[in-house]
Amino acid sequence: MSSGNINKKLVFVISAVAATGGLLFGFDTGVISGALLFLKEDFLLDSQGQEWVVSSVLLGCILGAAVSGRLVDVLGRRKAIIGTALVFAVGSIWTSAADAFSMLVAGRVVVGLGIGVASYAVPLYISEIAPPQHRGALVSLNQLLLTVGIVLSYLVDDLFANTAGSWRYMFLAGVIPALVLGVGMFFLPETPSWLAGKGRDAEAIGILNRIMPGPEAEIELAAIQQAVPESPVSSVKQLRAPWLRPALLIGIGIMFVQQATGINTVIYYAPTIFEVAGFQSATTAITATVGVGLVNVLMTMVAIWLVDKVGRKPLLSYGLIGMTVSLSGLALGFQFQAEIGGSLKWMAVGMLFLYIGSFAISVGPIAWLLIAEIYPLEVRGFAMSLATLSNWVFNFIVSFTFLTLFDTIGKAGTFWLYAGVGVLGWFFCHLYVPETKGVSLETIEKNLRAGARPKDLGSTS
Ligand code: BGC
């Protein structure tokens, strides 16, 4: 999308409705923490059983991202998103009705299938609708609603905690964001890029005329047509093309940095971290966790405000510095726990707030944004699903090694490890990640095809 005469209100409404896909992702990320306490009792789950309940959703996400690369290319972005909302709703009802452990786990896999697809189909959809000068902010609305979804899920958990059959209502509440997304998307258009890629130019121009009334619509269509592939459906073979490698490297690399700096150990285990740092009561630990969720939301808003002004790279740089400093602070705190004593818990609160705030202005939203920007139309759906798949695989590995790492290399060692990844991540971003602020997707694609270095993919000269 170029930067002509844009109907900003329409583009914002379209992006905001699609971004409710982030709510699904966030809601499910958070809801399990509260539900687990009750599932444990009702299904008599040992720790392995609990791990299954938590991890089955990640397995579903991996599966969803892996099998659906073609889906968004063949069905279109819009229909794929409507489908995921439906799958998520079915999974929510299924889990809420579970009366056997196997049914519960199977239902969680179904929920994961929906999230796995939504997690990349929504940023993809918005990036193809948004004009370059607002693309960063609009795509990041998805991450904002994700963080809101996490906080909402804590509140839902709280609301039903004292109701009989509590976890059933917690899971069932997931139907609401799924309905909002499914019904909302029903009224939204398909993206002009996808339509033009399928030779449906008349429909593409109809939508472009609504988004950018005036002669710009025709110019935009011509720019998209230039980028339209010869073969309409992407394949694994195409992903092997050498000129695509820089983009694949950036996508998988940024997802590694996002996950291996330990974000989900904080999201999933914040109360545990607060408890081991010295908070005696679970209630205080949970209140501090809600605080972490709120800082996540607020700093994502700051990212949205800044991402198209200062660009992606400065945010990545400062954010990764903040994350590395706070992780090192936590590591030092645990290393000198005996000397620090009671102050450790306050240090943990300060460090985790700094950590989540730094994540939220940098790799949180920007990893998802970058993968929606750097792939050529020809393989966009497929390549994004690959980067998304790597995100879920890294998430899975990090979340399920966290407590084991605590026991083997110790608390300090664990946080030093994540801090080390933070340093590597900073160099990776500095050396390989391009600045894509205000650059059209077609220009990024032209650079990629011309063999530009990863760092220079956003160059306009
Ligand atoms: C990450 C998730 C994480 C969330 C926290 C997302 O960008 O992909 O793994 O749970 O941010 O806000």
Side-chain angles (χ1 to χ4, degrees):
M1 187 83 31
S2 76
S3 39
N5 177 28
I6 299 286
N7 182 343
K8 281 192 198 146
K9 225 194 223 159
L10 180 66
V11 170
F12 176 77
V13 170
I14 292 178
S15 306
V17 171
T20 52
L23 268 184
L24 299 190
F25 185 164
F27 182 84
D28 198 77
T29 301
V31 80
I32 192 64
S33 60
L36 197 60
L37 303 175
F38 303 96
L39 289 168
K40 212 160 61 177
E41 286 169 19
D42 286 9
F43 289 93
L44 304 172
L45 299 179
D46 55 12
S47 40
Q48 216 184 7
Q50 292 177 50
E51 272 178 10
W52 267 107
V53 174
V54 178
S55 65
S56 45
V57 88
L58 292 178
L59 290 179
C61 292
I62 291 173
L63 216 68
V67 300
S68 64
R70 284 242 177 118
L71 199 74
V72 293
D73 286 338
V74 176
L75 280 185
R77 306 3 181 164
R78 175 178 164 272
K79 281 194 191 143
I81 297 175
I82 295 176
T84 63
L86 201 71
V87 170
F88 187 90
V90 169
S92 301
I93 297 170
W94 182 333
T95 42
S96 74
D99 49 19
F101 177 68
S102 53
M103 185 175 169
L104 180 66
V105 168
R108 296 276 297 155
V109 173
V110 174
V111 164
L113 282 175
I115 303 174
V117 182
S119 60
Y120 76 93
V122 169
L124 167 65
Y125 176 86
I126 302 177
S127 72
E128 289 183 346
I129 290 278
Q133 71 272 37
H134 302 297
R135 192 177 57 233
L138 292 172
V139 174
S140 302
L141 282 177
N142 182 58
Q143 175 77 13
L144 178 65
L145 284 174
L146 191 170
T147 61
V148 170
I150 294 177
V151 175
L152 277 181
S153 71
Y154 292 155
L155 299 179
V156 166
D157 280 358
D158 232 28
L159 186 70
F160 293 117
N162 297 317
T163 315
S166 50
W167 58 269
R168 295 188 189 277
Y169 296 106
M170 294 173 187
F171 286 147
L172 199 58
V175 173
I176 298 170
L179 272 181
V180 175
L181 177 67
V183 174
M185 281 306 294
F186 190 77
F187 294 100
L188 299 191
E190 182 48 80
T191 73
S193 313
W194 184 82
L195 288 168
K198 294 280 175 232
R200 291 160 62 176
D201 293 358
E203 289 166 75
I205 196 75
I207 294 156
L208 285 168
N209 273 325
R210 280 164 61 198
I211 298 176
M212 43 173 64
E216 275 98 351
E218 293 283 351
I219 301 170
E220 180 63 30
L221 183 64
I224 297 174
Q225 276 166 337
Q226 266 200 336
V228 163
E230 276 153 30
S231 67
V233 176
S234 47
S235 68
V236 180
K237 213 166 120 210
Q238 279 169 300
L239 286 187
R240 291 208 206 108
W243 62 273
L244 257 178
R245 276 183 206 144
L248 295 178
L249 167 86
I250 299 165
I252 296 175
I254 197 74
M255 288 311 185
F256 176 77
V257 176
Q258 192 203 56
Q259 292 298 320
T261 37
I263 179 62
N264 287 308
T265 65
V266 172
I267 298 285
Y268 302 156
Y269 295 105
T272 311
I273 300 175
F274 286 127
E275 268 180 350
V276 293
F279 282 106
Q280 303 293 331
S281 93
T283 333
T284 331
I286 289 169
T287 311
T289 306
V290 174
V292 167
L294 289 176
V295 174
N296 198 8
V297 175
L298 289 176
M299 292 308 283
T300 306
M301 288 180 179
V302 175
I304 289 181
W305 175 54
L306 288 176
V307 71
D308 291 315
K309 292 195 176 68
V310 304
R312 286 59 165 153
K313 289 197 60 144
L315 290 180
L316 282 174
S317 174
Y318 288 117
L320 280 163
I321 291 174
M323 286 165 74
T324 306
V325 167
S326 51
L327 287 166
S328 310
L330 273 174
L332 278 174
F334 281 114
Q335 198 156 343
F336 297 102
Q337 191 162 11
E339 289 83 348
I340 298 175
S343 314
L344 178 66
K345 55 178 188 258
W346 297 113
M347 189 168 164
V349 171
M351 289 300 145
L352 281 192
F353 277 27
L354 174 63
Y355 173 82
I356 195 84
S358 306
F359 171 87
I361 59 153
S362 61
V363 275
I366 295 176
W368 293 108
L369 172 59
L370 274 176
I371 68 158
E373 296 184 318
I374 55 173
Y375 297 119
L377 183 57
E378 186 172 355
V379 290
R380 197 169 287 154
F382 217 45
M384 275 188 81
S385 83
L386 184 72
T388 305
L389 171 68
S390 65
N391 178 286
W392 289 111
V393 171
F394 296 139
N395 182 343
F396 185 79
I397 297 172
V398 174
S399 313
F400 291 95
T401 48
F402 175 62
L403 292 180
T404 317
L405 281 178
F406 252 32
D407 290 340
T408 49
I409 60 172
K411 300 178 187 85
T414 307
F415 288 112
W416 280 128
L417 185 70
Y418 299 149
V421 178
V423 175
L424 277 180
W426 189 90
F427 279 106
F428 174 79
C429 292
H430 183 67
L431 295 174
Y432 294 108
V433 170
E435 181 53 83
T436 49
K437 177 184 96 170
V439 187
S440 76
L441 298 185
E442 290 77 28
T443 304
I444 297 173
E445 172 157 356
K446 216 161 62 198
N447 290 335
L448 190 62
R449 286 182 188 272
R453 289 183 306 172
K455 200 181 171 170
D456 299 329
L457 288 184
S459 159
T460 46
S461 57

